[in-house]
Structure formats: structure tokens, C-alpha cells
Amino acid sequence: VFGIGDFARHGRVSIRMLRHYDAIGLLRPAQVDPASGYRSYEATQLAELNRIVALKDLGFTLQQVQDMLNDHVDIDELRGMLKLRHAQLQAQIVTDTARLTQVEARLRTIEREGQMPADEVVVKQVSPVRVAELTAIAVSYAPEHIGPAIQPLYPELMARLAHAGVPIVGAPVAYYEDEPGSDGAITVHATAPVNVEPDDKYDFEIVDLPGIATAATIVHHGSMDNVVPTGQALSQWVDANGYRSTGYAREVYLDCPPELEKWVTELQAPVELI
Amino acid sequence: VFGIGDFARHGRVSIRMLRHYDAIGLLRPAQVDPASGYRSYEATQLAELNRIVALKDLGFTLQQVQDMLNDHVDIDELRGMLKLRHAQLQAQIVTDTARLTQVEARLRTIEREGQMPADEVVVKQVSPVRVAELTAIAVSYAPEHIGPAIQPLYPELMARLAHAGVPIVGAPVAYYEDEPGSDGAITVHATAPVNVEPDDKYDFEIVDLPGIATAATIVHHGSMDNVVPTGQALSQWVDANGYRSTGYAREVYLDCPPELEKWVTELQAPVELI
DNA sequence: TTGCTCCTCACGTCACGTGAGGTGGC
DNA sequence: TTGCTCCTCACGTCACGTGAGGTGGC
């Protein structure tokens, strides 16, 4: 029979933990002195404590451990809990591995440039959105072809939306697709988020833009004429951080004041790991 | 310029997070309406928010992020923080991988036996301890040779300790080593923790038992004559959970009442991953 | 007038760590 | 009498989530 201190030492847990497990009913001492409140434990309780520690080490909460040990879960629930934990651990390892790669990329940048990278790139999820759009075709993805193709579309789209009385509910988005069957030509889509159903009466398309499960994003400041270096920074980041690009980046026009150098745009490149 | 809701949507963070970042001074809104308290953000602040999110995603605390962004850390500190994070992430991945293996082992046991394993094995660290010891030699590690070799040592050790006036400060421990230059013979050590310096006057050895960095442990109930199945359960667990045994197990005699069937012993097998 | 967006408290989370202040037996 | 072990509160942790209760402009 052990005092709480000896029992804690043998079980490699803290005294505070034993008191906590007592308080929540997870592991009650074999004896409690009624006068002093001193707890005492029996040697056989060490097996019980080991069971608790083992389950806790797998990452289960104390509540889950308690349910498992008191047979509050049947075999199928138990299997389910283990499978869930299995999936969580796999996901955790995947994201930690990605983090590790990013930390390494930052360390390399520090060694090379003597300072922290500008931290501009964030990987996030982009949700689906319904937009009104006009399209045009550019002969290539080169900026000198894209710009002239897309620029006239926006004033026209805005005018048609205004004329149809359809309000814009978010920031305009541009996106690009390969023109099928054509050699290097690009379909450019100029869009603005709306909240209406498709209708033949409109002189623009209503399209549901799918979400992007994993998008590497960067904020571009200034005129879109100077977007190329920002786009390059984005693809370099993607390459250096264990991702691969899976398509053309969307452009979200967050702020488009008359002075072109004050524009703020977000580039959203769809990517996947490794 | 965005209201807090729009800004949160574009940054894929919650409104609550923006308020929190305002409260702790991490990201202040560009404007706050003095009358209503309404916050507003500028498009360019999205780059700032992205920087915060990127560093947070690497696992840094908000305090660390704040220090980094406000240049409260120089380049060497920054490198140090990144290297520390790198090491932490590696350690995290290692332990999560071990957890994953253990969850898989449990799932296999459930499929095979229709119930949760008895959860007896725990991996923990064993700290160094100073002991008084007597030794003997057994011709092999077989239980029928070990038992007769070690059993007489304990009464003798206790008697000599009592005679020397040296108090025992913990549970007795037995450990085993290959007898060098001999074919399969084992040196058996019967020990008890003490708190004295070595001295020629003692008729027992004072030895500092080293700690065990990684020990797989199991609690054995009952006489040591029946320890074999428990030892087998332990080595099966070690094999099934991605570890490898690196030596003989220590035996810690937690409770040794006169009735042999009430003994409680902990086996501590030194192991390493994979 | 009804929605919608926004506001400020303030409690809850999870598993303990860490004092503060005090007691009982050698 | 001094250490030592043990006791019971009770606050702090970290980054928000989640109401409660209320306000201002279309």
C-alpha cells in the first residue's frame, strides 16, 4: 500500500494528476483517511493507472478513457473511436509534415537572404460562390494577351448587371481555363458574385464557381500590369514548400480604386501536397 | 475598405479571431467608429492578416507571432525559434507515428479477439536510482535457473542492510546481465534502493543503476513462478507496436506480502523504436 | 417595423501546474 | 521543534467558441 507520493513516483505521474483523477472519478484511491483526507493506493492499482496512461498516451480525452474503462462503450463504438483516432493521427502527421517543410523553407530563406521571408503566402480553402460572368479568349496566358482580353469585360459586366438590377455581393473574381482544342489559347472569365438564379433574360452567364480545397494564396499590391513578380513569388513558394500547382490562379479584386497603384488583389492558386 | 464580416470572410478567419487580435494588439483595425465601436479594415491589411495566419499555421503562439512581426526578435533569435519549432515538429511526428502504430495494434487485437486488449503495457522513462546489491550467477535465463539464484539473495541483503543500519528507501529491484565470457550464463542482481555513499565497510555493493530512456512496462500479479506469460505478453506487445527489445527486463517488487499470489511486480524492458 | 451587422461582457474549454495557507505524525 | 508529506481551495493556461443582451442604419 502506497501513499500518494510513492504511487505517483512508481506510476510516473504527478501527484496533482492522481488528485485530479480522483476528483473526476477516473481512479479512486483504495483508501482515504477520514480524518486527514490522506489518500492511499494499493499496488494492484498500478495496473489500473497504467491502463489510463496508455489510453491517454494514444490521445484520448480523460472522458473517453473513463467511458472505455467503465465499459460504457461497446465493441463497435470502441472500434469507431480507434478508427477515428487513427484518421486524426494520420491527418495530424500530414499537416505536421507540411509544417516541417515550411519551417525548413523559411530556414533556407534566412540563410540565403539574411531575413525572414515576407510571409505572404497562406494555404487556405476557398468556398464555392455563385457569380455572373462574361468571357473572352486570349491567344496565350502571357500577361500582354490576358490584360487586353479581360480589361474590357468588367465595365461591360458591371453595366449589364446594373441594367438588369442585379446587385453585386462580393469582390470580383477572374479565372482562366485552357481553351479546349486550341493550342495555348485561354478562356478568360470576368466575374462578380451575385445572389440570383440563372435566367435566359440576362445578357451574362450565371455560374457556380466550385470551391478550391487547397489554395495557395498571396496578396498583390498595385496594378495588375505588375502582377508577374507576385505570381512568380507564389509559384516559387509552392515549389519550395512541398506543393504542386494544379491549375491557373484565380484573381480576386479586393480593392480597385481609380489609382491603379493602390489596387489590392488576391491570387488563389489551386495546389496539392507533394 | 471592409467591415469586420467581409474582412473575416476574405481572410478565412472568424470575426471572433479578429476581435481577439485587436484586443491583444496583434492586428488593429484601420478605423474604429468612435460612436458605434464598429471596426473597419483596409484591403492592404489582408497581407498583414496572411502573415499572422501563416506563422500561426506553423504552430507559433500569438505572442511569438507578435514578437516576430514587430521586429522584437533579431535574425538569430528568429533562426533559433524556427529550429526549435523544427525539432518540436519532428518529435511530434515521431510520437504520433508511434501512437498510430499502437492504435493499429489495438484495432488488430479487436478484430482477432473481439475485445480491447487489457491495456497493460505502458512506455515510460525510468529514472536512475542508487541501490545496494548482492549478485549471483545463474547458468541460463530460464526461470528454473533464475529463481533459485535470486531468491536467497534478498533475505541475505535485507539482513546485511539491517545490520549495517542502512534504510531501504524504495521498492526492491532485480536486474540481469549476460555473464561475460560465459556461454549463456546470467549475472542476477538483487537490489534495494538506498541513500548512502559506497563504503568498504559494507558487505554489499553500492551501485548507481542507470535510468532507462524508453522502457516498456507491464504489471505482473502473483508469484514470480508465473511470470513467464506476463513476460511473453510484454515482448509480444513490444513486437506488435513497433519497438525492439534492447536487453533484459528489470523487475520491481512493488508489493511482496507473505502470500505469494498477492505479489505485485513491474517488469521494465528497455526498448527502442522500430 | 423587421433583418442584418455589429458591439461588449463573460463564461466555458482541457488537463492539469502552481502557489497559498494549513494540518498530522516522526 | 523542524522536516516531510499530505490536504483543500483557487487562479492561470491558450486561443478563441458561444451565448446573453443590446445598438445603429437600411
Side-chain angles (χ1 to χ4, degrees):
Chain A
V1 61
F2 299 103
I4 195 171
D6 288 336
F7 192 66
R9 258 185 298 283
H10 284 300
R12 329 280 147 179
V13 296
S14 70
I15 291 177
R16 180 63 168 98
M17 285 165 78
L18 291 176
R19 291 210 258 260
H20 186 56
Y21 298 164
D22 182 8
I24 64 175
L26 181 55
L27 180 64
R28 290 269 151 76
Q31 297 264 330
V32 179
D33 183 300
S36 66
Y38 275 36
R39 297 165 177 83
S40 37
Y41 295 83
E42 283 173 17
T44 55
Q45 293 192 277
L46 200 60
E48 231 178 310
L49 179 58
N50 276 356
R51 240 170 287 147
I52 291 169
V53 170
L55 260 9
K56 207 170 69 79
D57 279 354
L58 295 182
F60 290 105
T61 67
L62 295 188
Q63 183 59 60
Q64 290 175 314
V65 172
Q66 198 160 4
D67 291 342
M68 291 181 188
L69 296 187
N70 296 18
D71 281 329
H72 288 163
V73 293
D74 63 31
I75 191 69
D76 285 328
E77 288 178 295
L78 195 51
R79 203 198 324 262
M81 291 169 78
L82 285 168
K83 286 190 174 171
L84 176 58
R85 200 77 255 287
H86 191 264
Q88 289 172 336
L89 283 167
Q90 283 184 323
Q92 184 73 47
I93 290 169
V94 168
T95 70
D96 280 344
T97 304
R99 286 170 171 178
L100 199 60
T101 307
Q102 291 180 33
V103 169
E104 285 165 357
R106 271 170 204 270
L107 278 167
R108 279 198 302 276
T109 305
I110 283 187
E111 298 310 329
R112 208 175 46 235
E113 305 182 9
Q115 58 176 351
M116 189 73 146
D119 293 326
E120 299 143 326
V121 177
V122 173
V123 174
K124 47 193 178 186
Q125 196 184 341
V126 174
S127 18
V129 59
R130 168 165 292 185
V131 297
E133 71 169 43
L134 296 178
T135 63
I137 293 182
V139 298
S140 90
Y141 191 62
E144 62 270 27
H145 294 138
I146 294 292
I150 201 161
Q151 270 165 31
L153 296 180
Y154 276 106
E156 184 62 27
L157 177 61
M158 299 306 156
R160 293 188 189 181
L161 284 168
H163 184 250
V166 174
I168 299 172
V169 298
V173 176
Y175 68 100
Y176 306 94
E177 291 173 320
D178 285 318
E179 174 69 8
S182 148
D183 189 27
I186 298 288
T187 313
V188 306
H189 302 251
T191 82
V194 295
N195 246 336
V196 298
E197 295 301 311
D199 195 319
D200 284 345
K201 77 184 177 208
Y202 294 138
D203 49 357
F204 42 78
E205 297 291 316
I206 301 293
V207 173
D208 287 311
L209 271 189
I212 305 176
T214 318
T217 69
I218 192 170
V219 172
H220 171 67
H221 296 270
S223 163
M224 290 306 280
D225 293 343
N226 303 322
V227 79
V228 173
T230 307
Q232 282 176 346
L234 181 56
S235 30
Q236 278 166 24
W237 188 94
V238 168
D239 292 340
N241 287 270
Y243 289 89
R244 179 193 308 137
S245 169
T246 61
Y248 297 112
R250 286 186 196 169
E251 295 160 6
V252 180
Y253 301 101
L254 296 168
D255 197 18
C256 312
E259 312 89 312
L260 287 183
E261 75 279 8
K262 290 193 180 166
W263 279 34
V264 178
T265 313
E266 185 179 60
L267 308 186
Q268 302 175 334
V271 295
E272 62 185 20
L273 262 176
I274 307 179
Chain B
V1 65
F2 299 102
I4 195 172
D6 288 335
F7 192 64
R9 260 185 297 283
H10 283 301
R12 331 277 147 181
V13 296
S14 71
I15 291 176
R16 180 64 168 97
M17 286 164 76
L18 291 176
R19 293 206 187 105
H20 186 57
Y21 297 163
D22 182 9
I24 65 175
L26 181 55
L27 180 63
R28 289 269 152 75
Q31 298 265 329
V32 178
D33 184 301
S36 65
Y38 276 36
R39 295 164 178 84
S40 36
Y41 295 83
E42 282 174 19
T44 56
Q45 292 191 277
L46 200 60
E48 231 178 309
L49 179 58
N50 277 355
R51 240 170 286 149
I52 292 168
V53 170
L55 292 172
K56 207 169 70 79
D57 279 355
L58 295 182
F60 290 106
T61 68
L62 294 187
Q63 183 59 60
Q64 290 175 315
V65 172
Q66 199 161 1
D67 291 342
M68 290 181 189
L69 296 187
N70 295 18
D71 282 329
H72 289 161
V73 294
D74 63 32
I75 192 70
D76 285 327
E77 288 178 296
L78 194 53
R79 203 197 326 260
M81 293 170 77
L82 286 168
K83 286 189 174 172
L84 176 59
R85 199 79 255 287
H86 190 264
Q88 289 172 335
L89 284 167
Q90 283 184 322
Q92 184 73 46
I93 290 170
V94 168
T95 70
D96 280 344
T97 304
R99 287 171 170 175
L100 198 60
T101 306
Q102 291 181 33
V103 169
E104 285 166 357
R106 271 169 204 270
L107 279 166
R108 279 198 303 275
T109 306
I110 284 187
E111 298 310 330
R112 207 174 48 235
E113 305 180 9
Q115 59 175 350
M116 189 73 147
D119 292 327
E120 298 143 325
V121 178
V122 172
V123 174
K124 48 192 177 187
Q125 197 183 341
V126 174
S127 18
V129 60
R130 166 165 295 185
V131 297
E133 72 170 40
L134 295 178
T135 61
I137 294 183
V139 299
S140 89
Y141 192 63
E144 61 271 27
H145 295 138
I146 294 291
I150 200 160
Q151 271 165 30
L153 296 181
Y154 277 105
E156 184 61 27
L157 177 62
M158 299 306 156
R160 294 189 189 181
L161 284 167
H163 184 252
V166 173
I168 299 173
V169 298
V173 175
Y175 68 100
Y176 306 93
E177 291 173 321
D178 284 319
E179 174 69 8
S182 150
D183 189 27
I186 298 287
T187 313
V188 307
H189 302 251
T191 83
V194 295
N195 247 335
V196 298
E197 294 303 311
D199 194 320
D200 283 343
K201 76 183 176 207
Y202 295 138
D203 49 357
F204 42 78
E205 298 292 315
I206 300 293
V207 172
D208 287 311
L209 271 189
I212 305 176
T214 319
T217 70
I218 192 169
V219 173
H220 170 67
H221 297 270
S223 162
M224 290 306 281
D225 293 344
N226 304 321
V227 78
V228 174
T230 306
Q232 283 176 347
L234 180 57
S235 30
Q236 278 166 24
W237 187 95
V238 168
D239 292 341
N241 286 270
Y243 289 90
R244 179 194 307 137
S245 170
T246 62
Y248 298 111
R250 285 186 197 169
E251 296 160 6
V252 180
Y253 300 100
L254 297 168
D255 196 17
C256 312
E259 313 90 311
L260 288 183
E261 74 278 7
K262 290 192 178 166
W263 279 34
V264 178
T265 313
E266 185 178 63
L267 309 185
Q268 303 175 334
V271 296
E272 62 185 21
L273 263 176
I274 306 178

